[in-house]
Amino acid sequence: MSGDSGIGDKRQIDFDDLQREAAGLDVGCITRFLSENDPRSVAGQKKKAREQIHRTLLDQLLQDAEYKALYVDLGDKLGAAERGADDMLERIEVDLANLMAQIAEMENDAARGPDGNRVFRFADGRVVDANGEIIPIEIADGIMWPDDAPSAEEYFATKQRQADLQDRQKEWSDYRHNVLGDVRERYDDADAPMSKDDMRDALDDIEATKPAPLLASNQTTAQTVAQDVSPNAFPSFN
């Protein structure tokens, strides 16, 4: 019985300690009942102290009017650049999906050579396969052309727009994740606030490395593609 009584006493002590610790009272023992995310625990108090050091340093820096102006300006422009890049990438994704649908439709409507491969005809009568390779005239003469078969000019212009847009997608993705992502990581660094020079450099980088916007004038048209219709004018589109 005495052993059971001892266990019961220990449980009662632990229970009492728990109640005191939960109330924020010092019970003279390790706060074993609280998680490290609880500011009343030892780990939580250390974390709070580290955060307070950062807040104090940043607060001190923000007392400088020039520093505060740069800090606010960078935060505003960085956020705007991130939103703009996200919108641009979304737009490019939609445009690429539309182009891929157009290409699939043209390939579905394309004429077929004797081997079953898709073939396309230029306005001057030359016939090429989907890679731009010339089809010999003796083979081209036997091809049946559907009324709705797309021209070579239309097909390769659309393929070129797809390739151009994929290049722009990579540019904007690199800008969003490498340039803006790096600035955001340094701007939000809880241990080392950016200096004035750091923020000035970041503001310059945001503008200087920004890719050109997508404009209608940047789109390759069937007319410009048709200016060079030799087999070497077209890359391999596999």
Side-chain angles (χ1 to χ4, degrees):
M1 288 294 292
S2 60
D4 292 339
S5 176
I7 294 174
D9 292 342
K10 178 65 168 59
R11 289 175 177 172
Q12 183 62 47
I13 292 172
D14 285 344
F15 178 79
D16 292 341
D17 283 347
L18 173 60
Q19 300 305 308
R20 293 189 182 92
E21 289 178 6
L25 300 176
D26 183 6
V27 296
C29 62
I30 299 175
T31 55
R32 55 191 176 279
F33 301 108
L34 302 178
S35 73
E36 63 181 8
N37 292 324
D38 192 309
R40 292 169 297 178
S41 68
V42 174
Q45 291 170 2
K46 291 180 179 179
K47 179 180 178 182
K48 183 178 180 180
R50 290 195 302 270
E51 292 175 347
Q52 186 62 43
I53 291 173
H54 167 64
R55 286 197 299 270
T56 300
L57 175 58
L58 182 57
D59 287 342
Q60 289 175 350
L61 291 171
L62 289 173
Q63 297 305 308
D64 182 336
E66 182 182 16
Y67 185 95
K68 183 175 181 179
L70 283 168
Y71 185 82
V72 172
D73 190 33
L74 177 57
D76 290 345
K77 290 182 177 177
L78 176 58
E82 289 171 330
R83 292 189 296 273
D86 289 340
D87 289 344
M88 185 62 69
L89 286 169
E90 183 177 350
R91 173 184 166 186
I92 290 174
E93 186 175 352
V94 171
D95 288 349
L96 278 174
N98 291 335
L99 285 173
M100 290 176 66
Q102 293 175 32
I103 291 170
E105 183 177 359
M106 284 189 285
E107 291 178 343
N108 182 67
D109 295 339
R112 307 284 172 163
D115 57 2
N117 291 330
R118 302 173 183 86
V119 292
F120 303 89
R121 182 170 54 188
F122 285 105
D124 63 6
R126 285 175 295 161
V127 178
V128 297
D129 63 17
N131 294 322
E133 296 293 331
I134 292 288
I135 303 298
I137 190 170
E138 61 271 17
I139 297 177
D141 285 345
I143 295 174
M144 300 297 294
W145 296 93
D147 292 338
D148 57 353
S151 68
E153 288 88 349
E154 293 173 317
Y155 179 71
F156 288 113
T158 306
K159 293 288 286 187
Q160 187 61 55
R161 288 200 297 274
Q162 180 191 36
D164 291 344
L165 205 53
Q166 287 171 334
D167 288 341
R168 302 305 303 282
Q169 184 181 45
K170 184 179 185 306
E171 291 176 5
W172 277 97
S173 182
D174 288 344
Y175 174 70
R176 175 64 179 89
H177 298 105
N178 296 333
V179 177
L180 300 184
D182 178 66
V183 174
R184 171 60 67 185
E185 183 177 358
R186 290 183 291 134
Y187 186 81
D188 291 342
D189 190 341
D191 297 320
M194 300 175 74
S195 68
K196 292 180 182 179
D197 287 339
D198 289 338
M199 291 189 287
R200 293 190 187 99
D201 290 342
L203 285 166
D204 289 342
D205 288 343
I206 289 173
E207 291 302 319
T209 61
K210 182 179 179 180
L214 294 182
L215 301 174
S217 60
N218 290 334
Q219 299 292 333
T220 305
T221 65
Q223 181 179 2
T224 57
V225 171
Q227 292 174 358
D228 185 354
V229 293
S230 64
N232 293 330
F234 305 102
S236 176
F237 299 112
N238 292 322

